[in-house]
Every structure is written in structure tokens, then in C-alpha cells.
Amino acid sequence: TFRLLVFLLLAGGLLPMPAHAQPDAPVVTVQPDKAFFRPGEPATFSVTAPDGARVVARVTHLLDEVAQIEAPLQDGRASLRWEPPAAAPRGYGLALRVLDEAGAEIAAASTAFDVLDHWLQAPRYGFLTEFGPGRDNIDATMAWAVRYHVNGLQFYDWQYRHEQLLPPADPYTDPLGRRLSLETVARLIDAAHARNIAAMPYTAIYGASPAFYEQHPDWALFQADGVAFDFGDGFLKIMDPTPGSPWADYLLDQFAQVLDQTTFDGIHLDQYGAPKAGRNDAGEPVDLAEVFPAFIDQAAALVHAKRDGGAMIFNAVGNWPVETVAPAGQDVVYIEVWPPYRDFMDLHAIVAQAEALGGGKPVILAAYIHPNNAPNVRLANAVIFGSGAYHLELGEPGVMLADPYFPQFGAMNETMQAAVQRAYDFLVRYEEVLSVGTRNATAARAGALTIDGVKTDGTLSKNRVAVIVRQGEARETFSLVNFMGLAHGKWLETLFQGPEPQRDLAVTLRVERPVERVWLASPDGDDLAPQTIAFEAEDGAIRFTVPSLDYWTMVVVEYRHD
């Protein structure tokens, strides 16, 4: 990724090392004990409440209540347990009430959880950056990740060197002078696994130190003038990753050592976006758009041979070369977004293209937005989640990714934490109508929905309500994303105010099948529960009213089964 400036600033001592931002706990908390639950595994939840005698909770699946569970409060804590059906993937909501001795409600809270066969069914990917000796907040870190349902963590810049991933001794110093510990890495992996969170090691497909290059100068990737490519003003040299080349074989052996000597769950493989082509030592052309997928296939075969259920992830920096790497052997399509993709709806276009090219693989976007820019984050997540994809942004406690060099993250205030938690609860609770088991139908069906007096067509992310459509077996999901009144439609540029709230939107939707039910839900308020709404059917269309639209309201249309 584009990390040169940060490399140089860190090397010059101009950037402070990050500190953990621990959030203040709300009065009542409830959260699942694991990032997801596997079929046959009991779903358990931890509750804290300063007052009350017992807690009762309703478990819901979409519109239906499926269970009620309760437990006594002892010393301000309770543990809830439920045996979900084995069906997967399936998302649930959990609404909790705290009762006093007389049975009166004194507080309430909610969360969500899901049952998955494997984390890659719904990869809510996050990050870790701190691997120093003696890290003392590992349990709190994993509890934080679970709070947001993060079920996979990229261990970013954990390695000893780019070309020698495992250290010769422990602790060790990385190329930027950070003191790291493989023992800390191992403890983080174990803690993640205890909460059903996968651990993925960051690696780079062609980066090597200048010292390594000097030992193997013929392994490099060369410019037309015969000079080896470098990265970061000489910080790294770019090697030739063509399968069968000495560097490719060497790097695959490094991956094998990592998988043999650690309990990482696969390989996360990065590139830097440039160069896109070069020459090998013999002067023959090397087209990285062709080389990358071939190397991915080899690395994926290695991962899957050494890890049952292992994951192979490759970074298509700037959406390049997504046409060749999306259908390759990686398990998800992971894209780091950069200009020219500037508009909010560019994020949808990237997701839709990646889903199609990847044959329905899950899509993860790395789009870096500082949490101080709350309207940008909320709108970007509405577009990404509404498009059926996931956003790499959470992991270390209390913070959000804000920069391509991950340690340069930004702290979330309490208001932002609450808004983001609602969005992730929403994503998990309604995953069966947003992502898993659905497909993009925006191009075919967005034009079928119109709103009286509000523009819904066009591609600009400004002064309109965007319509994003997902289709399932017997339902369609229309995500309405509010761009009304924005100063601009750029996710990369700070919005100082969010969209103008819309009320009582009169919607007309053309349909080709009889409609059984229409319901809606939104992550914008405290209540994420679904609301069934009345509709009128006439002349191949239905008409209904959406009571409110702040950032994102999801409308689900269920069709009759014949």
C-alpha cells in the first residue's frame, strides 16, 4: 500500500506511537461471547448492569421472535445462553431488558449475533498493529472486537522482515525500529481463536530489504533501463514474483514456515499498486496483472493444504488488477480503495464489479476514513454494507483505521462508537437480506423504485437518495442511502454535516410478482427492530410510505411463494 510518507516520518521520529483509547462502558451492556457461533455451539452472552434482579431477552430472526431467555443478575453481571438451530448462515437480534425484584423494567440494551459454518461466509475483517513485548490488554482487545462482531483480524506489520517473516530471536526489532514479540503475536492468535476470530498474517508479494536484494540481485524486478524497482526511496526493493522464479519459490517457503510454526489461519498478501509491469533478470517482460493471479493460486494451494478452512486474501490496490485477481484462488475479493474512486457510489460500483468477477465471493473494502469524519463513515458504511460487502476499519480498541499505515489510526469518541456499533449490529442481524445468500441487482432493479419529489436516478452521490438492491430467493432488499443536502458526494473529503433527514417518503415500486409483505429497518436510531409497513398494490406496482430516512433505511419486499 501507499506507505512511503509514513515510513519516512516514522524513521525520522515524527509520528508518535499509538496509545489505546479505552471507551467508557455504558450503564448496561450485553454482547455475545464470540464473534460468531458455529452450528451446534451454544450462543452465550455477557451482561453487565449496576442495578436489577434479573435480565430477560428476546431472540429474533428477521421479523420473528424465536426464543426468550433469562438469567439472574449477581453482582451486576449475568450470563445468557441459548441453543440456536444448526442452520447457517443466519443472523439474529437480541433485545435485553433489566428487571427489578418486582419485575419492572429499569433498563434495556440490544445486540446481534450470527451462526456461521466459517468466518469467510461473512468476513467482518479487522486489524491489529501492536505486538510489543508484554502487551497487557489482549483479553480487552478481543472483547472489543467481539463487541463489533469482528471475526477476522489482519496482523499488520507483525513480521521480522519482509523477506524473513519469522524472527531469529524473540523479542525482535522490525525495519522501522519497532520492538516486537512473537510471543505476543502467539498470545493474540490464541485469544482470537478462543472467540472464533481468525488471525491472518500480513505479508507482501514482492517486497525485500536492500540487504536481501544485494545478496540476490538477479531476483529483482527491473525497469526498462535495467535498474531494479524500489519502494519508499530505497526502503524496499521489488522482487519478481513470477511463479517458478527464485523469489516466488522462496516466498512460498516463507509462507510454509509461518503456517508450520504458528497458528495463523492463512496468508494476507499485499502489493503496493506499482509497478504494474517490469522485466526479469533475463530481460523478459513481466506483466504483474498476469503474475499476481498465478502466484495467488500457488499460495492458496499451499494455505489450503496446510490449514483446513484456511484463508488466502490478496489486496487489489486501487482496484487493480481486479479483473484477473478476483477470479483467482483467493477466498475473498479484498480491495484497497484509492482515487479515481472518490464518490460514495463508486464504493458500490467497486463492490458490484468485484462480486461479479469473483463469482459471488465475499468482498472486503479497505477505505480509510478518520472517525472524526462521522458523516463520511456512516455514509460509506451504508453504501458498503447495503451493497453486501464488508469494511476493514475496526480492531484495536476504541479506534478506527484512518490511514494506509495502520498504526496511524484515529480514536472514536463515544458517540461514534455507538453509531458504529449499531451499524455492525444491523449488518449481522440482517445479513440474510443484505449479504449472505443474496446477489447484486442494482442495475436491473434500482430504477423500479421512485420517491415522490426526490431524485433517485443518476450516479452522483449528492442531492439524491441512492437505491442499492440485493436479491434473495423470495425477497428483494432496497437500501435507501440519503445524499440529500450534502456539501459534496466524496467519501475521501470531510463532510462537516450529514444529509438532510427525509420524512414520510412516498415510494412507488414496480413489481412483477405478488407481494406478501413489506418491512423496513434502519441502524440510525436506537431501535434496530424491523417494522412492517402497509402497502397498496395496483397496476404492477406497490405504493407505501417510508416514515424516515436519516442516513440509511433498508426496505425489504417479500414475495408470495407459489
Side-chain angles (χ1 to χ4, degrees), residues 105-394:
E105 179 180 324
I106 58 176
S110 67
T111 188
F113 65 100
D114 59 352
V115 177
L116 304 174
D117 295 308
H118 193 282
W119 78 279
L120 289 173
Q121 283 183 310
R124 299 179 290 271
Y125 205 24
F127 75 100
L128 295 176
T129 62
E130 298 181 48
F131 313 106
R135 177 167 178 166
D136 60 2
N137 70 337
I138 289 177
D139 287 342
T141 296
M142 295 307 158
W144 170 269
V146 167
R147 174 180 173 183
Y148 294 89
H149 316 288
V150 171
N151 58 13
L153 287 167
Q154 180 188 152
F155 285 52
Y156 180 91
D157 276 6
W158 66 280
Q159 69 276 16
Y160 171 64
R161 295 290 184 270
H162 289 74
E163 75 277 358
Q164 183 180 337
L165 301 175
L166 296 173
D170 197 61
Y172 53 100
T173 302
D174 79 355
L176 293 175
R178 298 195 310 161
R179 195 69 171 159
L180 307 179
S181 170
L182 195 61
E183 188 267 341
T184 297
V185 170
R187 289 168 53 223
L188 284 163
I189 296 173
D190 289 345
H193 287 168
R195 293 178 179 264
N196 287 354
I197 301 173
M200 297 289 290
Y202 173 92
T203 67
I205 193 169
Y206 47 25
S209 68
F212 184 87
Y213 161 74
E214 290 172 3
Q215 296 172 0
H216 306 282
D218 55 333
W219 292 14
L221 188 67
F222 298 94
Q223 303 174 61
D225 60 4
V227 176
F229 283 102
D230 68 11
F231 175 76
D233 196 23
F235 178 75
L236 294 173
K237 291 293 185 179
I238 302 298
M239 313 304 278
D240 175 15
T242 302
S245 70
W247 168 256
D249 292 343
Y250 174 87
L251 187 58
L252 289 171
D253 182 67
Q254 287 290 307
F255 294 170
Q257 292 182 40
V258 168
L259 295 171
D260 287 341
Q261 298 179 43
T262 74
T263 53
F264 276 124
D265 294 291
I267 294 293
H268 180 102
L269 189 57
D270 194 18
Q271 54 140 328
Y272 304 143
K276 292 180 168 58
R279 296 183 180 276
N280 62 18
D281 184 56
E284 299 165 333
V286 176
D287 183 352
L288 291 178
E290 297 178 358
V291 167
F292 285 166
F295 185 89
I296 290 168
D297 289 345
Q298 288 193 338
L302 173 69
V303 167
H304 298 147
K306 289 186 173 290
R307 288 286 184 277
D308 184 20
M312 176 67 208
I313 298 176
F314 178 82
N315 184 6
V317 176
N319 205 30
W320 178 84
V322 69
E323 292 85 359
T324 60
V325 301
Q330 60 181 329
D331 295 287
V332 303
V333 185
Y334 176 102
I335 298 167
E336 187 178 64
V337 187
W338 293 104
Y341 305 101
R342 296 179 174 87
D343 283 5
F344 286 104
M345 286 303 287
D346 287 342
L347 302 175
H348 165 72
I350 288 173
V351 172
Q353 179 193 38
E355 181 181 292
L357 291 169
K361 292 175 187 172
V363 179
I364 300 169
L365 298 190
Y368 309 117
I369 308 172
H370 198 285
N372 289 350
N373 301 338
N376 296 70
V377 174
R378 294 180 65 178
L379 285 169
N381 279 344
V383 172
I384 294 169
F385 296 165
S387 299
Y390 306 89
H391 190 186
L392 179 82
E393 58 182 345
L394 302 175

Side-chain angles (χ1 to χ4, degrees), residues 51-54 56 97-106:
D51 299 303
R54 62 192 177 100
V56 296
R97 296 188 300 142
V98 180
L99 307 181
D100 63 15
E101 292 285 359
E105 179 180 324
I106 58 176

